[in-house]
């Protein structure tokens, strides 16, 4: 099963994350299928840069977002995409 989750790439005490599509059982820092965006929590306000089309594509294919990614999507993307997050399509 695929998961959409955050991968930490920042240095010590300076977190910076990539939002990636990866195998759900793999480790946080292991290989990934696709990089779909970035998240910088240290900027004021926090900077979220996501490719909406690719996120929606992976959600339609059954990828499940992690809790933190689900929160990012709900806060920073349009309402039509958040409806797809609540009820992902199962295959």
């Amino acid at each position: 099963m695929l998961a959409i989750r955050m991968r930490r790439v920042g240095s010590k005490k300076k977190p910076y994350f990539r939002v990636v599509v990866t195998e759900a059982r793999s480790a946080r820092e292991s290989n990934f299928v696709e990089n779909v965006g970035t998240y910088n929590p240290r900027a004021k306000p926090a900077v979220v840069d996501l490719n909406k089309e690719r996120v929606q594509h992976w959600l339609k294919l059954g990828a499940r977002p992690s809790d933190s990614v689900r929160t990012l999507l709900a806060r920073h993307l349009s309402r039509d995409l958040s409806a797809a997050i609540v009820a992902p399509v199962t295959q």
Side-chain angles (χ1 to χ4, degrees):
M1 173 183 9
L2 293 175
I4 302 174
R5 63 182 177 201
M6 291 193 289
R7 176 182 175 150
R8 185 182 168 124
V9 293
S11 60
K12 184 178 179 182
K13 306 271 186 179
K14 297 178 182 176
Y16 185 81
F17 298 94
R18 288 184 184 154
V19 180
V20 297
V21 178
T22 185
E23 182 62 34
R25 294 184 184 193
S26 64
R28 183 183 73 180
E29 304 303 325
S30 66
N31 296 336
F32 56 92
V33 178
E34 184 178 356
N35 182 4
V36 294
T38 59
Y39 170 56
N40 184 2
R42 291 180 50 87
K44 299 294 179 201
V47 176
V48 178
D49 181 30
L50 293 172
N51 186 339
K52 296 178 185 178
E53 293 81 26
R54 295 306 294 169
V55 170
Q56 197 165 27
H57 167 77
W58 286 110
L59 289 172
K60 285 182 182 177
L61 290 180
R64 295 189 181 187
S66 66
D67 293 339
S68 53
V69 171
R70 188 177 307 115
T71 302
L72 277 180
L73 294 174
R75 289 185 183 172
H76 297 283
L77 293 181
S78 63
R79 291 290 163 201
D80 55 26
L81 185 57
S82 60
I85 297 167
V86 173
V89 177
T90 58
Q91 294 181 357

